[in-house]
Amino acid sequence: MRISIIGSGNVATHLAAALKNAGHRIVQVYSRVLQNAAVLANHVKAEATDNLEHVKPDADIFIIAVNDDAIGEVAWALAKHQKLMVHTSGATGLQKLLAYAPDAGVFYPLQTFSKNRTVDFSTVPLCIEGSSAGVTGTLTGLADTISKKVYVINSDQRRVLHLAAVFACNFPNYLYHIAQTLLSQHQLAFDLLRPLIDETAGKVQEQLPANVQTGPAVRNDVSTMNAHLQMLDGQHEWQQVYELLSQGIIKMDKDGQADK
């Protein structure tokens, strides 16, 4: 399939590489910054452009991998080509594209991406939605060439999935940052926590999170929790986070959803 990638960020970079490696031809890469487009285009043997007016109509599909608030603007600019357009957003509905194109869809990879970190795309869940059965079939076929985990999910389901992903990925990473800052303030290395993080993540690959909850809150260890809060004196925001999460864990346990 001939594909043009609209965007040059983390998602665009990994998706373009996976599609090229699967035998598809990347025709063009667009970015508002020509240098960024050129870097990705060089990697996937495509043409680079920083002007939506110069995006060629000879692709079979435009994959729009830009910030959510720019999807509509990009779709409007590409609508004249009357080609299949998809976006890669978890939080934006299909309707955003249907305002500009009858053949539209969503091609949402449920994964966190960094340009300098390799991801095995065959393990990445790809969430597909199409404006018709034909479009859904086309996108499913495309997804099958790069991932072993392809799901047809509608916009409402995808929004919930995206919200759940924020809780499961983005928020824990913020907590890792708090932990790293606390350690560095006392000349301790974050490496000390990596085995603990690995074990915690490993447990939820086999069991439900509520069944493997540990720590002072699930034990209702008030003395330890109070001591922790005192140690956070002067860090009001972190104290709030600690108290809110601890109370949530306590309530979860009282509801009978966790084992001590």
mmCIF file of all heavy atoms in Angstrom, residues 210 218 247-259:
data_model
loop_
_atom_site.group_PDB
_atom_site.id
_atom_site.type_symbol
_atom_site.label_atom_id
_atom_site.label_comp_id
_atom_site.label_asym_id
_atom_site.label_seq_id
_atom_site.Cartn_x
_atom_site.Cartn_y
_atom_site.Cartn_z
ATOM 1 N N ALA A 210 -5.864 -5.236 41.623
ATOM 2 C CA ALA A 210 -6.398 -5.208 42.981
ATOM 3 C C ALA A 210 -5.941 -6.397 43.807
ATOM 4 O O ALA A 210 -5.861 -6.326 45.032
ATOM 5 C CB ALA A 210 -7.931 -5.157 42.947
ATOM 6 N N VAL A 218 -2.757 -0.470 52.134
ATOM 7 C CA VAL A 218 -3.575 -1.677 52.101
ATOM 8 C C VAL A 218 -3.503 -2.410 53.439
ATOM 9 O O VAL A 218 -4.415 -3.168 53.805
ATOM 10 C CB VAL A 218 -3.158 -2.582 50.923
ATOM 11 C CG1 VAL A 218 -1.893 -3.369 51.233
ATOM 12 C CG2 VAL A 218 -4.283 -3.529 50.535
ATOM 13 N N GLN A 247 -5.773 6.924 50.411
ATOM 14 C CA GLN A 247 -7.194 6.781 50.729
ATOM 15 C C GLN A 247 -7.908 5.936 49.677
ATOM 16 O O GLN A 247 -8.817 5.168 49.992
ATOM 17 C CB GLN A 247 -7.852 8.165 50.845
ATOM 18 C CG GLN A 247 -7.430 8.950 52.074
ATOM 19 C CD GLN A 247 -7.697 8.189 53.354
ATOM 20 O OE1 GLN A 247 -8.794 7.641 53.557
ATOM 21 N NE2 GLN A 247 -6.706 8.144 54.223
ATOM 22 N N GLY A 248 -7.492 6.076 48.428
ATOM 23 C CA GLY A 248 -8.086 5.249 47.386
ATOM 24 C C GLY A 248 -7.777 3.781 47.584
ATOM 25 O O GLY A 248 -8.647 2.915 47.395
ATOM 26 N N ILE A 249 -6.548 3.469 47.973
ATOM 27 C CA ILE A 249 -6.167 2.079 48.230
ATOM 28 C C ILE A 249 -6.928 1.523 49.423
ATOM 29 O O ILE A 249 -7.414 0.384 49.402
ATOM 30 C CB ILE A 249 -4.640 1.980 48.462
ATOM 31 C CG1 ILE A 249 -3.893 2.294 47.163
ATOM 32 C CG2 ILE A 249 -4.264 0.582 48.958
ATOM 33 C CD1 ILE A 249 -2.401 2.457 47.348
ATOM 34 N N ILE A 250 -7.066 2.332 50.489
ATOM 35 C CA ILE A 250 -7.809 1.898 51.686
ATOM 36 C C ILE A 250 -9.253 1.599 51.328
ATOM 37 O O ILE A 250 -9.818 0.577 51.745
ATOM 38 C CB ILE A 250 -7.723 2.974 52.784
ATOM 39 C CG1 ILE A 250 -6.294 3.051 53.339
ATOM 40 C CG2 ILE A 250 -8.716 2.677 53.904
ATOM 41 C CD1 ILE A 250 -6.053 4.247 54.234
ATOM 42 N N LYS A 251 -9.875 2.476 50.548
ATOM 43 C CA LYS A 251 -11.273 2.254 50.148
ATOM 44 C C LYS A 251 -11.396 1.004 49.286
ATOM 45 O O LYS A 251 -12.343 0.217 49.457
ATOM 46 C CB LYS A 251 -11.795 3.464 49.375
ATOM 47 C CG LYS A 251 -13.264 3.343 48.979
ATOM 48 C CD LYS A 251 -13.743 4.580 48.259
ATOM 49 C CE LYS A 251 -15.248 4.492 47.979
ATOM 50 N NZ LYS A 251 -15.629 3.312 47.210
ATOM 51 N N MET A 252 -10.445 0.811 48.365
ATOM 52 C CA MET A 252 -10.459 -0.391 47.535
ATOM 53 C C MET A 252 -10.424 -1.645 48.385
ATOM 54 O O MET A 252 -11.155 -2.609 48.150
ATOM 55 C CB MET A 252 -9.264 -0.370 46.573
ATOM 56 C CG MET A 252 -9.148 -1.601 45.678
ATOM 57 S SD MET A 252 -7.690 -1.534 44.614
ATOM 58 C CE MET A 252 -6.375 -1.705 45.830
ATOM 59 N N ASP A 253 -9.584 -1.631 49.411
ATOM 60 C CA ASP A 253 -9.454 -2.801 50.299
ATOM 61 C C ASP A 253 -10.734 -3.017 51.105
ATOM 62 O O ASP A 253 -11.206 -4.139 51.266
ATOM 63 C CB ASP A 253 -8.258 -2.624 51.221
ATOM 64 C CG ASP A 253 -7.950 -3.889 52.007
ATOM 65 O OD1 ASP A 253 -8.012 -4.976 51.408
ATOM 66 O OD2 ASP A 253 -7.679 -3.783 53.219
ATOM 67 N N LYS A 254 -11.321 -1.929 51.585
ATOM 68 C CA LYS A 254 -12.565 -2.061 52.365
ATOM 69 C C LYS A 254 -13.703 -2.586 51.511
ATOM 70 O O LYS A 254 -14.605 -3.260 52.011
ATOM 71 C CB LYS A 254 -12.955 -0.688 52.944
ATOM 72 C CG LYS A 254 -12.094 -0.260 54.130
ATOM 73 C CD LYS A 254 -12.552 1.072 54.683
ATOM 74 C CE LYS A 254 -11.735 1.466 55.910
ATOM 75 N NZ LYS A 254 -12.153 2.780 56.458
ATOM 76 N N ASP A 255 -13.658 -2.281 50.226
ATOM 77 C CA ASP A 255 -14.690 -2.789 49.308
ATOM 78 C C ASP A 255 -14.477 -4.249 48.947
ATOM 79 O O ASP A 255 -15.217 -4.825 48.152
ATOM 80 C CB ASP A 255 -14.710 -1.951 48.019
ATOM 81 C CG ASP A 255 -15.258 -0.553 48.266
ATOM 82 O OD1 ASP A 255 -15.880 -0.343 49.325
ATOM 83 O OD2 ASP A 255 -15.026 0.325 47.408
ATOM 84 N N GLY A 256 -13.394 -4.831 49.502
ATOM 85 C CA GLY A 256 -13.143 -6.244 49.276
ATOM 86 C C GLY A 256 -12.508 -6.571 47.958
ATOM 87 O O GLY A 256 -12.603 -7.692 47.476
ATOM 88 N N GLN A 257 -11.795 -5.593 47.376
ATOM 89 C CA GLN A 257 -11.205 -5.803 46.048
ATOM 90 C C GLN A 257 -9.716 -6.066 46.106
ATOM 91 O O GLN A 257 -9.072 -6.237 45.091
ATOM 92 C CB GLN A 257 -11.448 -4.586 45.166
ATOM 93 C CG GLN A 257 -12.925 -4.332 44.937
ATOM 94 C CD GLN A 257 -13.136 -3.081 44.088
ATOM 95 O OE1 GLN A 257 -12.309 -2.734 43.274
ATOM 96 N NE2 GLN A 257 -14.257 -2.424 44.282
ATOM 97 N N ALA A 258 -9.132 -6.079 47.294
ATOM 98 C CA ALA A 258 -7.701 -6.298 47.370
ATOM 99 C C ALA A 258 -7.369 -7.208 48.540
ATOM 100 O O ALA A 258 -8.081 -7.263 49.534
ATOM 101 C CB ALA A 258 -6.963 -4.958 47.529
ATOM 102 N N ASP A 259 -6.273 -7.914 48.421
ATOM 103 C CA ASP A 259 -5.761 -8.740 49.511
ATOM 104 C C ASP A 259 -4.591 -8.042 50.160
ATOM 105 O O ASP A 259 -3.790 -7.401 49.482
ATOM 106 C CB ASP A 259 -5.289 -10.109 48.966
ATOM 107 C CG ASP A 259 -6.431 -10.913 48.364
ATOM 108 O OD1 ASP A 259 -7.561 -10.758 48.870
ATOM 109 O OD2 ASP A 259 -6.177 -11.673 47.407
#
